[in-house]
Amino acid sequence: DAGVIQSPRHEVTEMGQEVTLRCKPISGHDYLFWYRQTMMRGLELLIYFNNNVPIDDSGMPEDRFSAKMPNASFSTLKIQPSEPRDSAVYFCASSLVTSSYNEQFFGPGTRLTVL
Amino acid sequence: QKEVEQNSGPLSVPEGAIASLNCTYSDRVSQSFFWYRQYSGKSPELIMSIYSNGDKEDGRFTAQLNKASQYVSLLIRDSQPSDSATYLCAVNRDDKIIFGKGTRLHILP
């Protein structure tokens, strides 16, 4: 079975540019999560979806960040405009609907560098 | 108080010994507890989950949960160099998981 797929794996961009990260969850999973990981802050939840509907976006750092899930097999995280402090590894994860047993499967991550 | 707290380490353990990793959490209503392993440059992967007080064993790994003390631990028996990684403790809150910052474990050959 294919796991969670993310693209691109690496992204280097300049400050002010728009960045779009992509994720394909595991087929049949109802929950999709976007995380950001840095040395200083660890693994932070940005937003999560249930059945394509955003449930909690309280972790999104500011209005420059937005996320969409137009269908069950695709989600995007967009940063516009990007800033150097957005440099981090961004992970997408998915899980089944059993909320009490929320075992999440992570994609390989996108390493974002904003110059 | 942080929701999930772990000692950042590094924790150095001789090969073949038992590695003990600890975690405390603040939300008393949490019901699900997880240990993820993350190798450098890789994504986290689930290695253990536990939902009831007591011990749960899976191969060389044992997870221990004490809800009264809000404490979760992971024991790794017969530690191998391949166990060297960062171990993330995670606790559910509603439908999401809150992660600790992780403990770096280094197994000494």
Side-chain angles (χ1 to χ4, degrees):
Chain A
D1 287 341
V4 176
I5 299 172
Q6 290 187 249
S7 64
R9 295 292 306 276
H10 302 273
E11 177 81 27
V12 180
T13 190
E14 293 189 347
M15 183 174 63
Q17 296 299 304
E18 177 179 299
V19 175
T20 299
L21 311 181
R22 297 173 176 80
C23 175
K24 176 180 170 57
I26 294 172
S27 177
H29 281 192
D30 296 274
Y31 283 80
L32 184 139
F33 305 82
W34 281 101
Y35 292 91
R36 176 173 68 176
Q37 188 175 40
T38 61
M39 288 293 292
M40 289 295 295
R41 302 176 69 89
L43 194 60
E44 303 174 279
L45 178 65
L46 301 177
I47 184 171
Y48 76 97
F49 296 82
N50 177 213
N51 291 323
N52 313 337
V53 177
I55 303 301
D56 184 345
D57 66 354
S58 60
M60 297 285 259
E62 47 197 276
D63 291 346
R64 298 185 297 107
F65 286 69
S66 62
K68 294 181 180 180
M69 191 166 185
N71 57 62
S73 59
F74 184 67
S75 177
T76 60
L77 177 68
K78 185 176 293 186
I79 308 173
Q80 167 63 19
S82 58
E83 297 183 3
R85 60 192 168 122
D86 301 329
S87 297
V89 179
Y90 291 80
F91 289 106
C92 175
S94 69
S95 70
L96 288 172
V97 74
T98 51
S99 60
S100 294
Y101 300 88
N102 213 350
E103 303 183 24
Q104 298 183 11
F105 298 85
F106 283 76
T110 296
R111 181 173 295 276
L112 174 64
T113 303
V114 183
L115 303 174
Chain B
Q1 181 183 7
K2 295 178 184 176
E3 289 203 57
V4 182
E5 293 208 53
Q6 299 180 254
N7 187 317
S8 62
L11 175 66
S12 295
V13 174
E15 183 176 355
I18 296 175
S20 177
L21 305 164
N22 304 313
C23 170
T24 58
Y25 61 95
S26 61
D27 190 348
R28 286 192 172 275
V29 303
S30 294
Q31 296 295 319
S32 305
F33 308 87
F34 308 92
W35 284 99
Y36 283 77
R37 178 177 61 199
Q38 186 175 23
Y39 292 115
S40 180
K42 302 295 185 181
S43 57
E45 57 176 331
L46 180 70
I47 55 171
M48 287 288 285
S49 57
I50 186 167
Y51 311 105
S52 304
N53 277 330
D55 294 0
K56 178 182 178 182
E57 186 174 318
D58 184 1
R60 295 187 297 111
F61 299 97
T62 298
Q64 300 175 315
L65 174 60
N66 183 328
K67 290 185 179 180
S69 301
Q70 295 174 244
Y71 179 89
V72 192
S73 65
L74 179 70
L75 301 178
I76 306 175
R77 289 182 299 280
D78 188 22
S79 297
Q80 303 296 311
S82 60
D83 295 325
S84 296
T86 296
Y87 290 80
L88 305 172
C89 174
V91 175
N92 86 297
R93 175 155 55 89
D94 302 322
D95 284 343
K96 58 189 179 185
I97 290 177
I98 308 301
F99 285 85
K101 288 189 175 182
T103 299
R104 283 185 296 137
L105 175 65
H106 181 49
I107 305 301
L108 304 170

